[in-house]
Amino acid sequence: MTIEAPGTTAYLESLVDVATGELDRRIFSDEEIFDLEMKHIFGRAWLFLCHETQIPKKGDFFEAPMGKDNVLVVRQRDRSIKALLNTCTHRGNAVCRAEEGNVRNFMCTYHGWTFGLDGELVGVPGMSDFYRDELDRSKHPLRKVAQLDTYKGFVFATMDPQAPPLQEFLGRTGRIAIDLLAERGDIEARPGVQKFTLNCNWKFTADNAFDYYHPQITHISAQAVGMIPSADVNDTGGAKTDEGKALGVQRLPTDLDTLVALGEYGHAISGPSLDSMLRTLPPEMHELVTWRRNPGPLAALGPVGSRFAGHPHLFPTAWFTMDAQISLRVPRSAGVTEVWWFSFKDRNESPEEQKAQLGRQIHSFGPAGFLEQEDGENWSQSTAQTRGGASRDIPQLLKMGLGRGKIIHEDGVARIEAPVNEHAQLWTYLSWLQWVKGTDWDELRSATTPGDYI
Amino acid sequence: MATAHLETTLAPEKIAAMYLQYEVEQFYTHEAALLDHQRFEEWVDLFTDDTTYFMPIRRTVPRRNLSREFTQPGEMAFFDDDKATLVGRVQKLGTGTAWAEDPPSRTRHLVTNVRIVEDLGTQLTVETCFHLYRTRLKSEIDEWIGRREDVLRRTEEGFRIARRDIYLDQTVLLSQNLSNFF
Ligand code: FES
Ligand SMILES: [Fe+2]
């Protein structure tokens, strides 16, 4: 085995083996790799910041993370939206220390430099007495993100002026991901973003969005109390508890009929097909997904896009749930990730429907959710073991369905139809490798364009 | 001499107030013991059938926007449970497969600053401060400090919790989950 020098392209390429479905566990704890991710992924990709309805009035702001930068997403006087780096152009202090709120301007509490909603420097204490009017205020506005755009109310930004336009970055798969929420109706963000902290690498949270192999074990207690349906089928493959008991593991009824979409730049969708979901949901809950067949949504989603009922994930860190929520994973360091839950409602729904959905959202996900309570420790313990000198040499496996992912190209979507598999996770890491190498945009796009097999 | 002094200076309503304070504090000490001894079925029986159990999201906002600090009922929250949901949480813990609590967390519920802020006879409104200390696995420590506002209903069996609002002194939660009760 040849050991490549850390940081080189050859080294990075040795970390992801798509042919064998094996990853090097160093990618989950090496600080140098994290720094490369900050630079090449979070410094370049279009990142989800917030939804327009979170900042409806002029002066409303929401602080969003972009890598290690913090930006203030601000509603302007002309109703447009700007995203400003939350760092004073004098000597760096944060000009705003709240998570959200409403302001007329941002005054830095260090020396009092004052910035308008558009970031222009409008006030400098001692401008004439101390600076003798020699400071050119126009040269020191709050810095803006390189590009900002919205897609159906969802606000995105990138720090890279060279990045392709948002629509192109999203591509067909990324747009379907958002349409599966946006086309549901007249979408409004519910007040309150749940934020909590996991001691794990962000990639565990990202690839788990596609993982329909884990619910039957990780979430077995939620299944036992009726939070998720089970199929009366056991394929435990010999799994037993510590004391040798068979758990009676019941897979999800949708598990043999799943749909995967692979998209450029690393976006993907994976999980149940709409048909299998309809066979599973009680009739009174069909409306959760059948709206996708209404004329408006169907026109946006297309014949293929409307067949997904799984989990879309926008590379690098935005997971969309089936019930109108976005889980944004915010890397803080190689071993610490925050989870931010954005939750939405459809203004057209009745108050009863809105309330029922709120209950489902609070009780499924988030730190106290019947499902998500169990997820964090899997990821933090998985991360912790990647620090062991011997443990980190064991490859990370994504072999389920390996080589069987026949890709069907139709209506601009590259899809795979198969039982539960790990194709989308493998796609995530294949794309991750291209990003982290610092591949330029054109090459990145072609290297992450799905072929005929994965 | 001391006894005579007590009798002459303590009016009956003061003694009643002290006794009420004692009763309420005993109730909370008992409740905390049930939680820390993992006797969750008995714990959930302390809630009325029409109870609500609510923990809003807290946000760092400018002082001017303090009215927006906590989310309101009907908005997002960490807990927004009725009795059936609370019972469901207890049942989940009892399945033997709720991995977030297996191995179980070690918890200590410290309840203090007990203030009876309203007494309507049939029910009381009581504010308490709490410190929930949790350790897990080898070296994980989580702590939550905050304030609870309860409505305690008087029943034949003693106090029962008809409403509990929990206000945490954290905005971004520093823990990986909230798999324990407050
Ligand atoms: S650092 Fe902001 S005014 Fe000096
Ligand atoms: Fe999960």
Side-chain angles (χ1 to χ4, degrees), chain A residues 191-203:
Chain A
V193 177
Q194 296 172 326
K195 301 176 182 176
F196 60 106
T197 311
L198 304 174
N199 289 318
C200 76
N201 183 265
W202 66 275
K203 293 188 291 302

Side-chain angles (χ1 to χ4, degrees), chain A residues 406-428:
Chain A
K406 181 172 167 29
I407 298 170
I408 304 158
H409 294 268
E410 185 189 342
D411 194 34
V413 185
R415 78 172 191 277
I416 301 166
E417 308 199 7
V420 165
N421 57 75
E422 291 170 344
H423 299 313
Q425 290 100 309
L426 200 54
W427 184 249
T428 301

Side-chain angles (χ1 to χ4, degrees), chain A residues 99 102 194 197 368 374 377, chain B residues 60 64 77 89 92 136 173:
Chain A
E99 293 166 86
N102 181 277
Q194 296 172 326
T197 311
E374 258 74 32
E377 202 153 276
Chain B
T60 305
R64 239 178 20 266
R89 291 183 189 278
K92 179 172 176 289
R136 272 195 70 63
L173 294 187

Side-chain angles (χ1 to χ4, degrees), chain A residues 43-333:
Chain A
R44 290 198 298 163
W46 283 92
L47 302 171
F48 170 67
L49 302 184
C50 68
H51 191 258
E52 280 188 345
T53 55
Q54 288 176 263
I55 46 170
K57 296 196 287 286
K58 72 167 190 261
D60 283 351
F61 70 89
F62 179 79
E63 191 189 43
M66 291 183 72
K68 290 190 176 178
D69 293 305
N70 296 305
V71 301
L72 297 163
V73 194
V74 189
R75 181 69 74 168
Q76 303 294 302
R77 292 177 203 287
D78 67 0
R79 318 293 305 157
S80 67
I81 292 170
K82 283 189 170 36
L84 313 165
L85 262 69
N86 188 6
T87 178
C88 182
T89 53
H90 178 222
R91 288 235 279 284
N93 187 23
V95 295
C96 174
R97 293 163 299 156
E99 293 166 86
E100 52 186 271
N102 181 277
V103 290
R104 286 167 181 272
N105 45 248
F106 296 100
M107 190 199 78
C108 177
T109 52
Y110 199 169
H111 311 92
W113 283 27
T114 301
F115 303 88
L117 296 180
D118 57 359
E120 288 305 313
L121 177 58
V122 295
V124 176
M127 184 65 179
S128 47
D129 290 346
F130 306 157
Y131 278 107
R132 297 169 192 269
D133 288 314
E134 285 165 2
L135 184 79
D136 183 353
R137 283 199 307 216
S138 71
K139 287 214 166 67
H140 307 287
L142 293 180
R143 300 299 195 268
K144 292 182 190 60
V145 297
Q147 302 184 60
L148 179 141
D149 202 356
T150 62
Y151 179 78
K152 300 192 181 178
F154 295 83
V155 183
F156 289 80
T158 168
M159 293 297 186
D160 185 358
Q162 311 299 326
L166 175 62
Q167 290 256 358
E168 188 188 320
F169 171 82
L170 292 171
R172 186 85 173 104
T173 301
R175 292 196 299 274
I176 288 170
I178 300 175
D179 287 344
L180 284 168
L181 168 52
E183 290 291 329
R184 192 180 172 117
D186 188 6
I187 293 300
E188 180 184 305
R190 297 181 187 274
V193 177
Q194 296 172 326
K195 301 176 182 176
F196 60 106
T197 311
L198 304 174
N199 289 318
C200 76
N201 183 265
W202 66 275
K203 293 188 291 302
F204 280 106
T205 64
D207 85 41
N208 186 83
F210 305 122
D211 188 326
Y212 273 81
Y213 187 36
H214 84 291
Q216 56 180 0
I217 295 291
T218 296
H219 304 304
I220 187 170
S221 61
Q223 205 173 23
V225 298
M227 277 295 283
I228 42 177
S230 43
D232 288 325
V233 186
N234 297 350
D235 176 13
T236 59
K240 289 195 180 68
T241 64
D242 295 351
E243 71 267 51
K245 274 198 311 201
L247 277 176
V249 175
Q250 299 188 337
R251 65 174 175 240
L252 308 186
T254 52
D255 277 356
L256 297 184
D257 182 6
T258 75
L259 265 185
V260 177
L262 307 179
E264 298 82 22
Y265 302 114
H267 313 308
I269 306 173
S270 185
S273 71
L274 183 70
D275 286 334
S276 67
M277 188 59 81
L278 283 175
R279 286 196 299 271
T280 302
L281 289 174
E284 68 273 15
M285 291 189 75
H286 281 193
E287 191 46 34
L288 253 181
V289 284
T290 48
W291 60 266
R292 294 154 190 214
R293 291 174 172 169
N294 297 340
L298 188 58
L301 291 162
V304 179
S306 58
R307 289 181 53 205
F308 291 92
H311 289 161
H313 185 265
L314 294 183
F315 194 88
T317 47
W319 162 37
F320 290 63
T321 71
M322 196 178 72
D323 209 0
Q325 290 184 281
I326 296 175
S327 181
L328 183 72
R329 278 67 189 271
V330 182
R332 294 300 188 192
S333 67

